[in-house]
Amino acid sequence: MPECNGYLVPKLILQPFIENSFFHGFPSDEEGKIQVFIKEQGEDIKIEIYDNGVGIEEETLEKVKEKRETRNEHFSGIGVNNVDSRIKLIYGNQYGIEIKSKLNKGTTVTILLPIKE
């Protein structure tokens, strides 16, 4: 969204999720899409990183949400939790990351941040 061009976000907030989508969402060199959507939501910015890759198994996703380490999976629990913790430390607990995924359909990571210019 052009209105969002001037907004500031912390460094390296998007990179881990795009990288994970690239490397783990498409493990067999298959083609797919990674899309990033940014929009205003009241006084906040909502950033969605979507891929149509292999998705994440529900058990693995639950481990990530519970902040337990996962290995060789779509998302490293350490990386996700590191970014989520940084966002909460900077902006407060009402901000952070949400991950939704369906096996063989893809993954969406939603990042909620306050608007900062």
Side-chain angles (χ1 to χ4, degrees):
M1 219 175 177
E3 303 86 44
C4 298
N5 284 344
Y7 296 154
L8 301 175
V9 298
K11 291 180 181 179
L12 298 175
I13 291 292
L14 304 178
Q15 182 269 339
F17 302 108
I18 295 171
E19 183 177 287
N20 280 335
S21 289
F22 184 78
F23 287 114
H24 302 292
F26 310 101
S28 303
D29 291 332
E30 54 204 55
E31 290 189 24
K33 290 183 183 179
I34 300 171
Q35 297 174 300
V36 179
F37 302 98
I38 302 171
K39 68 177 185 177
E40 290 180 9
Q41 184 172 302
E43 299 295 316
D44 300 325
I45 308 169
K46 183 177 182 179
I47 303 169
E48 292 183 321
I49 302 163
Y50 165 78
D51 73 60
N52 64 348
V54 297
I56 307 171
E57 291 183 6
E58 191 171 327
E59 181 180 310
T60 301
L61 190 55
E62 286 304 315
K63 286 180 186 176
V64 170
K65 289 178 181 179
E66 292 172 11
K67 301 188 186 303
R68 295 188 307 203
E69 180 179 349
T70 59
R71 295 183 185 176
N72 299 320
E73 300 292 348
H74 191 91
F75 286 98
S76 159
I78 294 171
V80 169
N81 294 322
N82 182 8
V83 172
D84 190 51
S85 295
R86 283 180 49 220
I87 291 171
K88 289 180 182 341
L89 183 66
I90 295 168
Y91 301 118
N93 288 333
Q94 68 270 37
Y95 297 102
I97 295 164
E98 179 184 5
I99 303 170
K100 294 183 180 177
S101 187
K102 292 201 185 264
L103 216 47
N104 300 314
K105 298 215 183 231
T107 302
T108 301
V109 175
T110 303
I111 303 170
L112 187 64
L113 303 169
I115 292 175
K116 300 287 181 187
E117 295 188 59

mmCIF file with all atom_site columns, all heavy atoms in Angstrom, residues 4-22:
data_model
loop_
_atom_site.group_PDB
_atom_site.id
_atom_site.type_symbol
_atom_site.label_atom_id
_atom_site.label_alt_id
_atom_site.label_comp_id
_atom_site.label_asym_id
_atom_site.label_entity_id
_atom_site.label_seq_id
_atom_site.pdbx_PDB_ins_code
_atom_site.Cartn_x
_atom_site.Cartn_y
_atom_site.Cartn_z
_atom_site.occupancy
_atom_site.B_iso_or_equiv
_atom_site.pdbx_formal_charge
_atom_site.auth_seq_id
_atom_site.auth_comp_id
_atom_site.auth_asym_id
_atom_site.auth_atom_id
_atom_site.pdbx_PDB_model_num
ATOM 1   N N   . CYS A 1 4  ? 1.721  3.253   3.171  1.00 0.00 ? 4  CYS A N   1
ATOM 2   C CA  . CYS A 1 4  ? 2.579  2.635   4.188  1.00 0.00 ? 4  CYS A CA  1
ATOM 3   C C   . CYS A 1 4  ? 4.068  2.804   3.894  1.00 0.00 ? 4  CYS A C   1
ATOM 4   O O   . CYS A 1 4  ? 4.899  2.380   4.694  1.00 0.00 ? 4  CYS A O   1
ATOM 5   C CB  . CYS A 1 4  ? 2.252  1.152   4.308  1.00 0.00 ? 4  CYS A CB  1
ATOM 6   S SG  . CYS A 1 4  ? 0.556  0.815   4.830  1.00 0.00 ? 4  CYS A SG  1
ATOM 7   N N   . ASN A 1 5  ? 4.419  3.418   2.766  1.00 0.00 ? 5  ASN A N   1
ATOM 8   C CA  . ASN A 1 5  ? 5.817  3.524   2.359  1.00 0.00 ? 5  ASN A CA  1
ATOM 9   C C   . ASN A 1 5  ? 6.698  4.227   3.383  1.00 0.00 ? 5  ASN A C   1
ATOM 10  O O   . ASN A 1 5  ? 7.864  3.896   3.522  1.00 0.00 ? 5  ASN A O   1
ATOM 11  C CB  . ASN A 1 5  ? 5.948  4.229   1.011  1.00 0.00 ? 5  ASN A CB  1
ATOM 12  C CG  . ASN A 1 5  ? 5.571  3.330   -0.145 1.00 0.00 ? 5  ASN A CG  1
ATOM 13  O OD1 . ASN A 1 5  ? 5.493  2.123   0.003  1.00 0.00 ? 5  ASN A OD1 1
ATOM 14  N ND2 . ASN A 1 5  ? 5.322  3.926   -1.293 1.00 0.00 ? 5  ASN A ND2 1
ATOM 15  N N   . GLY A 1 6  ? 6.177  5.206   4.101  1.00 0.00 ? 6  GLY A N   1
ATOM 16  C CA  . GLY A 1 6  ? 6.995  5.975   5.034  1.00 0.00 ? 6  GLY A CA  1
ATOM 17  C C   . GLY A 1 6  ? 7.058  5.403   6.438  1.00 0.00 ? 6  GLY A C   1
ATOM 18  O O   . GLY A 1 6  ? 7.730  5.957   7.304  1.00 0.00 ? 6  GLY A O   1
ATOM 19  N N   . TYR A 1 7  ? 6.413  4.292   6.690  1.00 0.00 ? 7  TYR A N   1
ATOM 20  C CA  . TYR A 1 7  ? 6.378  3.730   8.040  1.00 0.00 ? 7  TYR A CA  1
ATOM 21  C C   . TYR A 1 7  ? 7.666  2.975   8.348  1.00 0.00 ? 7  TYR A C   1
ATOM 22  O O   . TYR A 1 7  ? 8.256  2.334   7.490  1.00 0.00 ? 7  TYR A O   1
ATOM 23  C CB  . TYR A 1 7  ? 5.188  2.796   8.220  1.00 0.00 ? 7  TYR A CB  1
ATOM 24  C CG  . TYR A 1 7  ? 3.859  3.492   8.103  1.00 0.00 ? 7  TYR A CG  1
ATOM 25  C CD1 . TYR A 1 7  ? 2.735  2.803   7.709  1.00 0.00 ? 7  TYR A CD1 1
ATOM 26  C CD2 . TYR A 1 7  ? 3.712  4.852   8.372  1.00 0.00 ? 7  TYR A CD2 1
ATOM 27  C CE1 . TYR A 1 7  ? 1.500  3.423   7.604  1.00 0.00 ? 7  TYR A CE1 1
ATOM 28  C CE2 . TYR A 1 7  ? 2.494  5.491   8.265  1.00 0.00 ? 7  TYR A CE2 1
ATOM 29  C CZ  . TYR A 1 7  ? 1.396  4.773   7.882  1.00 0.00 ? 7  TYR A CZ  1
ATOM 30  O OH  . TYR A 1 7  ? 0.183  5.393   7.778  1.00 0.00 ? 7  TYR A OH  1
ATOM 31  N N   . LEU A 1 8  ? 8.071  3.061   9.602  1.00 0.00 ? 8  LEU A N   1
ATOM 32  C CA  . LEU A 1 8  ? 9.296  2.402   10.043 1.00 0.00 ? 8  LEU A CA  1
ATOM 33  C C   . LEU A 1 8  ? 8.965  1.074   10.713 1.00 0.00 ? 8  LEU A C   1
ATOM 34  O O   . LEU A 1 8  ? 7.988  0.963   11.448 1.00 0.00 ? 8  LEU A O   1
ATOM 35  C CB  . LEU A 1 8  ? 10.032 3.299   11.044 1.00 0.00 ? 8  LEU A CB  1
ATOM 36  C CG  . LEU A 1 8  ? 10.436 4.683   10.534 1.00 0.00 ? 8  LEU A CG  1
ATOM 37  C CD1 . LEU A 1 8  ? 11.034 5.506   11.667 1.00 0.00 ? 8  LEU A CD1 1
ATOM 38  C CD2 . LEU A 1 8  ? 11.419 4.560   9.387  1.00 0.00 ? 8  LEU A CD2 1
ATOM 39  N N   . VAL A 1 9  ? 9.805  0.078   10.444 1.00 0.00 ? 9  VAL A N   1
ATOM 40  C CA  . VAL A 1 9  ? 9.698  -1.209  11.117 1.00 0.00 ? 9  VAL A CA  1
ATOM 41  C C   . VAL A 1 9  ? 11.098 -1.589  11.604 1.00 0.00 ? 9  VAL A C   1
ATOM 42  O O   . VAL A 1 9  ? 12.092 -1.195  10.997 1.00 0.00 ? 9  VAL A O   1
ATOM 43  C CB  . VAL A 1 9  ? 9.119  -2.322  10.209 1.00 0.00 ? 9  VAL A CB  1
ATOM 44  C CG1 . VAL A 1 9  ? 7.706  -1.995  9.776  1.00 0.00 ? 9  VAL A CG1 1
ATOM 45  C CG2 . VAL A 1 9  ? 9.988  -2.572  9.012  1.00 0.00 ? 9  VAL A CG2 1
ATOM 46  N N   . PRO A 1 10 ? 11.187 -2.350  12.692 1.00 0.00 ? 10 PRO A N   1
ATOM 47  C CA  . PRO A 1 10 ? 12.514 -2.755  13.180 1.00 0.00 ? 10 PRO A CA  1
ATOM 48  C C   . PRO A 1 10 ? 13.261 -3.573  12.128 1.00 0.00 ? 10 PRO A C   1
ATOM 49  O O   . PRO A 1 10 ? 12.665 -4.299  11.339 1.00 0.00 ? 10 PRO A O   1
ATOM 50  C CB  . PRO A 1 10 ? 12.189 -3.612  14.408 1.00 0.00 ? 10 PRO A CB  1
ATOM 51  C CG  . PRO A 1 10 ? 10.837 -3.174  14.841 1.00 0.00 ? 10 PRO A CG  1
ATOM 52  C CD  . PRO A 1 10 ? 10.117 -2.802  13.570 1.00 0.00 ? 10 PRO A CD  1
ATOM 53  N N   . LYS A 1 11 ? 14.580 -3.470  12.152 1.00 0.00 ? 11 LYS A N   1
ATOM 54  C CA  . LYS A 1 11 ? 15.415 -4.210  11.215 1.00 0.00 ? 11 LYS A CA  1
ATOM 55  C C   . LYS A 1 11 ? 15.220 -5.710  11.388 1.00 0.00 ? 11 LYS A C   1
ATOM 56  O O   . LYS A 1 11 ? 15.017 -6.206  12.484 1.00 0.00 ? 11 LYS A O   1
ATOM 57  C CB  . LYS A 1 11 ? 16.895 -3.879  11.447 1.00 0.00 ? 11 LYS A CB  1
ATOM 58  C CG  . LYS A 1 11 ? 17.250 -2.473  11.072 1.00 0.00 ? 11 LYS A CG  1
ATOM 59  C CD  . LYS A 1 11 ? 18.709 -2.206  11.331 1.00 0.00 ? 11 LYS A CD  1
ATOM 60  C CE  . LYS A 1 11 ? 19.015 -0.770  10.969 1.00 0.00 ? 11 LYS A CE  1
ATOM 61  N NZ  . LYS A 1 11 ? 20.402 -0.420  11.220 1.00 0.00 ? 11 LYS A NZ  1
ATOM 62  N N   . LEU A 1 12 ? 15.306 -6.407  10.276 1.00 0.00 ? 12 LEU A N   1
ATOM 63  C CA  . LEU A 1 12 ? 15.277 -7.871  10.220 1.00 0.00 ? 12 LEU A CA  1
ATOM 64  C C   . LEU A 1 12 ? 14.010 -8.493  10.806 1.00 0.00 ? 12 LEU A C   1
ATOM 65  O O   . LEU A 1 12 ? 14.030 -9.614  11.296 1.00 0.00 ? 12 LEU A O   1
ATOM 66  C CB  . LEU A 1 12 ? 16.519 -8.456  10.905 1.00 0.00 ? 12 LEU A CB  1
ATOM 67  C CG  . LEU A 1 12 ? 17.843 -8.062  10.258 1.00 0.00 ? 12 LEU A CG  1
ATOM 68  C CD1 . LEU A 1 12 ? 18.996 -8.590  11.075 1.00 0.00 ? 12 LEU A CD1 1
ATOM 69  C CD2 . LEU A 1 12 ? 17.922 -8.572  8.830  1.00 0.00 ? 12 LEU A CD2 1
ATOM 70  N N   . ILE A 1 13 ? 12.895 -7.782  10.724 1.00 0.00 ? 13 ILE A N   1
ATOM 71  C CA  . ILE A 1 13 ? 11.619 -8.336  11.181 1.00 0.00 ? 13 ILE A CA  1
ATOM 72  C C   . ILE A 1 13 ? 11.020 -9.248  10.104 1.00 0.00 ? 13 ILE A C   1
ATOM 73  O O   . ILE A 1 13 ? 10.481 -10.302 10.412 1.00 0.00 ? 13 ILE A O   1
ATOM 74  C CB  . ILE A 1 13 ? 10.631 -7.195  11.538 1.00 0.00 ? 13 ILE A CB  1
ATOM 75  C CG1 . ILE A 1 13 ? 11.102 -6.453  12.789 1.00 0.00 ? 13 ILE A CG1 1
ATOM 76  C CG2 . ILE A 1 13 ? 9.213  -7.716  11.719 1.00 0.00 ? 13 ILE A CG2 1
ATOM 77  C CD1 . ILE A 1 13 ? 11.042 -7.241  14.067 1.00 0.00 ? 13 ILE A CD1 1
ATOM 78  N N   . LEU A 1 14 ? 11.112 -8.859  8.854  1.00 0.00 ? 14 LEU A N   1
ATOM 79  C CA  . LEU A 1 14 ? 10.501 -9.637  7.774  1.00 0.00 ? 14 LEU A CA  1
ATOM 80  C C   . LEU A 1 14 ? 11.410 -10.744 7.245  1.00 0.00 ? 14 LEU A C   1
ATOM 81  O O   . LEU A 1 14 ? 10.940 -11.805 6.841  1.00 0.00 ? 14 LEU A O   1
ATOM 82  C CB  . LEU A 1 14 ? 10.115 -8.717  6.612  1.00 0.00 ? 14 LEU A CB  1
ATOM 83  C CG  . LEU A 1 14 ? 9.198  -7.543  6.943  1.00 0.00 ? 14 LEU A CG  1
ATOM 84  C CD1 . LEU A 1 14 ? 8.954  -6.712  5.700  1.00 0.00 ? 14 LEU A CD1 1
ATOM 85  C CD2 . LEU A 1 14 ? 7.904  -8.033  7.538  1.00 0.00 ? 14 LEU A CD2 1
ATOM 86  N N   . GLN A 1 15 ? 12.685 -10.509 7.246  1.00 0.00 ? 15 GLN A N   1
ATOM 87  C CA  . GLN A 1 15 ? 13.652 -11.394 6.613  1.00 0.00 ? 15 GLN A CA  1
ATOM 88  C C   . GLN A 1 15 ? 13.549 -12.850 7.059  1.00 0.00 ? 15 GLN A C   1
ATOM 89  O O   . GLN A 1 15 ? 13.525 -13.754 6.210  1.00 0.00 ? 15 GLN A O   1
ATOM 90  C CB  . GLN A 1 15 ? 15.071 -10.854 6.818  1.00 0.00 ? 15 GLN A CB  1
ATOM 91  C CG  . GLN A 1 15 ? 16.159 -11.666 6.165  1.00 0.00 ? 15 GLN A CG  1
ATOM 92  C CD  . GLN A 1 15 ? 16.724 -12.737 7.082  1.00 0.00 ? 15 GLN A CD  1
ATOM 93  O OE1 . GLN A 1 15 ? 16.605 -12.655 8.302  1.00 0.00 ? 15 GLN A OE1 1
ATOM 94  N NE2 . GLN A 1 15 ? 17.322 -13.750 6.498  1.00 0.00 ? 15 GLN A NE2 1
ATOM 95  N N   . PRO A 1 16 ? 13.461 -13.161 8.359  1.00 0.00 ? 16 PRO A N   1
ATOM 96  C CA  . PRO A 1 16 ? 13.417 -14.575 8.741  1.00 0.00 ? 16 PRO A CA  1
ATOM 97  C C   . PRO A 1 16 ? 12.210 -15.319 8.178  1.00 0.00 ? 16 PRO A C   1
ATOM 98  O O   . PRO A 1 16 ? 12.313 -16.496 7.822  1.00 0.00 ? 16 PRO A O   1
ATOM 99  C CB  . PRO A 1 16 ? 13.339 -14.540 10.274 1.00 0.00 ? 16 PRO A CB  1
ATOM 100 C CG  . PRO A 1 16 ? 13.826 -13.194 10.663 1.00 0.00 ? 16 PRO A CG  1
ATOM 101 C CD  . PRO A 1 16 ? 13.492 -12.288 9.522  1.00 0.00 ? 16 PRO A CD  1
ATOM 102 N N   . PHE A 1 17 ? 11.080 -14.640 8.053  1.00 0.00 ? 17 PHE A N   1
ATOM 103 C CA  . PHE A 1 17 ? 9.869  -15.296 7.577  1.00 0.00 ? 17 PHE A CA  1
ATOM 104 C C   . PHE A 1 17 ? 9.894  -15.500 6.074  1.00 0.00 ? 17 PHE A C   1
ATOM 105 O O   . PHE A 1 17 ? 9.465  -16.540 5.575  1.00 0.00 ? 17 PHE A O   1
ATOM 106 C CB  . PHE A 1 17 ? 8.636  -14.509 8.015  1.00 0.00 ? 17 PHE A CB  1
ATOM 107 C CG  . PHE A 1 17 ? 8.575  -14.370 9.504  1.00 0.00 ? 17 PHE A CG  1
ATOM 108 C CD1 . PHE A 1 17 ? 8.828  -13.158 10.111 1.00 0.00 ? 17 PHE A CD1 1
ATOM 109 C CD2 . PHE A 1 17 ? 8.317  -15.470 10.299 1.00 0.00 ? 17 PHE A CD2 1
ATOM 110 C CE1 . PHE A 1 17 ? 8.804  -13.038 11.487 1.00 0.00 ? 17 PHE A CE1 1
ATOM 111 C CE2 . PHE A 1 17 ? 8.284  -15.368 11.676 1.00 0.00 ? 17 PHE A CE2 1
ATOM 112 C CZ  . PHE A 1 17 ? 8.543  -14.146 12.275 1.00 0.00 ? 17 PHE A CZ  1
ATOM 113 N N   . ILE A 1 18 ? 10.413 -14.532 5.352  1.00 0.00 ? 18 ILE A N   1
ATOM 114 C CA  . ILE A 1 18 ? 10.544 -14.687 3.899  1.00 0.00 ? 18 ILE A CA  1
ATOM 115 C C   . ILE A 1 18 ? 11.566 -15.778 3.588  1.00 0.00 ? 18 ILE A C   1
ATOM 116 O O   . ILE A 1 18 ? 11.347 -16.625 2.725  1.00 0.00 ? 18 ILE A O   1
ATOM 117 C CB  . ILE A 1 18 ? 10.903 -13.346 3.239  1.00 0.00 ? 18 ILE A CB  1
ATOM 118 C CG1 . ILE A 1 18 ? 9.737  -12.370 3.423  1.00 0.00 ? 18 ILE A CG1 1
ATOM 119 C CG2 . ILE A 1 18 ? 11.240 -13.533 1.760  1.00 0.00 ? 18 ILE A CG2 1
ATOM 120 C CD1 . ILE A 1 18 ? 10.030 -10.943 3.024  1.00 0.00 ? 18 ILE A CD1 1
ATOM 121 N N   . GLU A 1 19 ? 12.666 -15.779 4.324  1.00 0.00 ? 19 GLU A N   1
ATOM 122 C CA  . GLU A 1 19 ? 13.690 -16.809 4.136  1.00 0.00 ? 19 GLU A CA  1
ATOM 123 C C   . GLU A 1 19 ? 13.127 -18.198 4.446  1.00 0.00 ? 19 GLU A C   1
ATOM 124 O O   . GLU A 1 19 ? 13.351 -19.151 3.692  1.00 0.00 ? 19 GLU A O   1
ATOM 125 C CB  . GLU A 1 19 ? 14.879 -16.506 5.042  1.00 0.00 ? 19 GLU A CB  1
ATOM 126 C CG  . GLU A 1 19 ? 16.026 -17.469 4.889  1.00 0.00 ? 19 GLU A CG  1
ATOM 127 C CD  . GLU A 1 19 ? 17.201 -17.064 5.751  1.00 0.00 ? 19 GLU A CD  1
ATOM 128 O OE1 . GLU A 1 19 ? 17.878 -16.078 5.395  1.00 0.00 ? 19 GLU A OE1 1
ATOM 129 O OE2 . GLU A 1 19 ? 17.426 -17.735 6.781  1.00 0.00 ? 19 GLU A OE2 1
ATOM 130 N N   . ASN A 1 20 ? 12.387 -18.334 5.531  1.00 0.00 ? 20 ASN A N   1
ATOM 131 C CA  . ASN A 1 20 ? 11.794 -19.626 5.873  1.00 0.00 ? 20 ASN A CA  1
ATOM 132 C C   . ASN A 1 20 ? 10.808 -20.085 4.807  1.00 0.00 ? 20 ASN A C   1
ATOM 133 O O   . ASN A 1 20 ? 10.772 -21.268 4.458  1.00 0.00 ? 20 ASN A O   1
ATOM 134 C CB  . ASN A 1 20 ? 11.112 -19.575 7.240  1.00 0.00 ? 20 ASN A CB  1
ATOM 135 C CG  . ASN A 1 20 ? 12.085 -19.705 8.379  1.00 0.00 ? 20 ASN A CG  1
ATOM 136 O OD1 . ASN A 1 20 ? 13.168 -20.263 8.241  1.00 0.00 ? 20 ASN A OD1 1
ATOM 137 N ND2 . ASN A 1 20 ? 11.704 -19.171 9.529  1.00 0.00 ? 20 ASN A ND2 1
ATOM 138 N N   . SER A 1 21 ? 10.004 -19.154 4.301  1.00 0.00 ? 21 SER A N   1
ATOM 139 C CA  . SER A 1 21 ? 9.078  -19.511 3.220  1.00 0.00 ? 21 SER A CA  1
ATOM 140 C C   . SER A 1 21 ? 9.844  -20.020 2.010  1.00 0.00 ? 21 SER A C   1
ATOM 141 O O   . SER A 1 21 ? 9.480  -21.023 1.407  1.00 0.00 ? 21 SER A O   1
ATOM 142 C CB  . SER A 1 21 ? 8.232  -18.308 2.816  1.00 0.00 ? 21 SER A CB  1
ATOM 143 O OG  . SER A 1 21 ? 7.300  -18.006 3.807  1.00 0.00 ? 21 SER A OG  1
ATOM 144 N N   . PHE A 1 22 ? 10.902 -19.324 1.666  1.00 0.00 ? 22 PHE A N   1
ATOM 145 C CA  . PHE A 1 22 ? 11.693 -19.662 0.488  1.00 0.00 ? 22 PHE A CA  1
ATOM 146 C C   . PHE A 1 22 ? 12.337 -21.043 0.621  1.00 0.00 ? 22 PHE A C   1
ATOM 147 O O   . PHE A 1 22 ? 12.228 -21.887 -0.263 1.00 0.00 ? 22 PHE A O   1
ATOM 148 C CB  . PHE A 1 22 ? 12.762 -18.597 0.263  1.00 0.00 ? 22 PHE A CB  1
ATOM 149 C CG  . PHE A 1 22 ? 13.571 -18.781 -0.976 1.00 0.00 ? 22 PHE A CG  1
ATOM 150 C CD1 . PHE A 1 22 ? 13.054 -18.440 -2.211 1.00 0.00 ? 22 PHE A CD1 1
ATOM 151 C CD2 . PHE A 1 22 ? 14.849 -19.303 -0.915 1.00 0.00 ? 22 PHE A CD2 1
ATOM 152 C CE1 . PHE A 1 22 ? 13.805 -18.616 -3.369 1.00 0.00 ? 22 PHE A CE1 1
ATOM 153 C CE2 . PHE A 1 22 ? 15.602 -19.487 -2.052 1.00 0.00 ? 22 PHE A CE2 1
ATOM 154 C CZ  . PHE A 1 22 ? 15.082 -19.136 -3.282 1.00 0.00 ? 22 PHE A CZ  1
#
